[in-house]
């Protein structure tokens, strides 16, 4: 078993070190991760300049690109052998609901869709690493069990782990994505030369976060697992669109 590990917090982030340590004695693991924090990079590829991988002292490969760049190169020639699966994280911070549209953590896992197995993205609901051992243990258990999983191709499991010691985790729930409310307005700043700029505000609170959602599960102390697919086709809209398009051309 060969596992490609990536993230969006950067190659030196504590979460990726914890994930590698949790899996290193289970499989042949290779880490390719951005050389700096690329949170919010989504599935962007770097097309305006070359990418330069550098191998660090610990064997991790640092790349001057996005999480998707890292996995893309790892699957398409940078490594001597093609990985069997992609695992992303452990992200410090939640990736719940609409977060998956922006998340580099989830995007790295999505780029592994070309492989036969299911990719996994792991996030801990904290910006602090205190309960990383909890997340690392859960990641190991899920990766070990992946060989028994039968899901359609191009499926990703988005895993969010409450910021709790392991003994306080109540279990695992399968969930759907909830939805956030609209974010607050960007914060306007002015530099010493008078040039205006804007900081993007924090994500909105849960607007659709009731039972069955990822928001609800983690708030109740459960690990949330949400299966994701790349295909965003809104099939239920076809009938209405057929009538709307009729006679336009």
């Amino acid at each position: 078993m060969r596992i490609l590990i990536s993230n969006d917090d950067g190659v030196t982030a504590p979460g990726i070190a914890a994930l590698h340590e949790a899996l290193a004695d289970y499989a042949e693991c290779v880490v390719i991760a951005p050389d700096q924090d690329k949170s919010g990079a989504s599935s962007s590829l770097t097309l305006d300049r070359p990418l330069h991988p550098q191998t660090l002292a610990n064997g991790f490969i640092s790349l001057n690109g996005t999480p998707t760049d890292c996995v893309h190169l790892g699957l398409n020639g940078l490594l001597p052998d093609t990985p069997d699966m992609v695992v992303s994280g452990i992200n410090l911070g939640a990736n719940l609901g609409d977060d998956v549209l922006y998340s580099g953590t989830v995007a790295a896992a999505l780029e592994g869709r070309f492989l036969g197995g299911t990719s996994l993205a792991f996030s801990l609901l904290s910006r602090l690493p205190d309960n990383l051992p909890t997340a690392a243990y859960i990641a190991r258990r899920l990766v070990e069990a992946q060989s028994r999983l039968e899901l359609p191709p191009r499926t990703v499991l988005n895993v969010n782990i409450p910021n709790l010691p392991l003994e306080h985790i109540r279990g695992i729930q399968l969930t759907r994505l909830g939805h956030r409310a609209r974010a607050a307005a960007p914060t306007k700043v002015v530099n010493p030369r008078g040039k205006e700029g804007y900081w993007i505000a924090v994500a909105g609170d849960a607007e659709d976060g009731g039972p069955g959602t990822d928001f609800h599960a983690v708030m109740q102390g459960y690990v949330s697992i949400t299966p994701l697919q790349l295909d965003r086709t809104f099939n239920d809209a076809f009938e209405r669109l057929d009538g709307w398009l009729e006679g336009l051309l």
Side-chain angles (χ1 to χ4, degrees), residues 62-221:
S62 174
L63 191 73
N64 60 327
T66 68
T68 301
D69 289 330
C70 294
V71 177
H72 187 85
L73 263 63
L75 299 187
N76 294 290
L78 181 61
L79 303 177
D81 299 302
T82 302
D84 297 301
M85 68 179 299
V86 171
V87 178
S88 180
I90 299 166
N91 191 67
L92 291 183
N95 278 303
L96 299 164
D98 305 298
D99 298 343
V100 302
L101 297 173
Y102 311 103
S103 169
T105 304
V106 174
L110 284 171
E111 191 64 14
R113 64 189 180 275
F114 301 102
L115 302 176
T118 299
S119 300
L120 295 101
F122 295 101
S123 301
L124 176 67
L125 272 72
S126 176
R127 297 293 180 186
L128 300 175
D130 303 45
N131 286 308
L132 267 178
T134 299
Y137 175 82
I138 290 167
R140 170 64 181 257
R141 295 286 289 160
L142 290 174
V143 170
E144 284 179 329
Q146 192 264 358
S147 62
R148 306 195 307 271
L149 187 61
E150 294 184 6
L151 288 173
R154 300 172 182 254
T155 304
V156 169
L157 297 183
N158 185 41
V159 183
N160 280 275
I161 301 149
N163 182 37
L164 297 169
L166 183 61
E167 61 270 21
H168 293 162
I169 297 291
R170 298 178 64 187
I172 299 175
Q173 288 188 356
L174 289 175
T175 60
R176 66 173 176 86
L177 294 177
H179 295 286
R180 291 189 183 276
R182 186 174 178 175
T187 301
K188 183 177 178 180
V189 294
V190 181
N191 72 15
R193 293 185 173 86
K195 186 174 183 179
E196 295 180 354
Y198 294 88
W199 282 102
I200 297 294
V202 297
D205 294 329
E207 187 174 58
D208 172 15
T213 67
D214 46 4
F215 287 102
H216 188 267
V218 294
M219 290 302 102
Q220 299 301 312

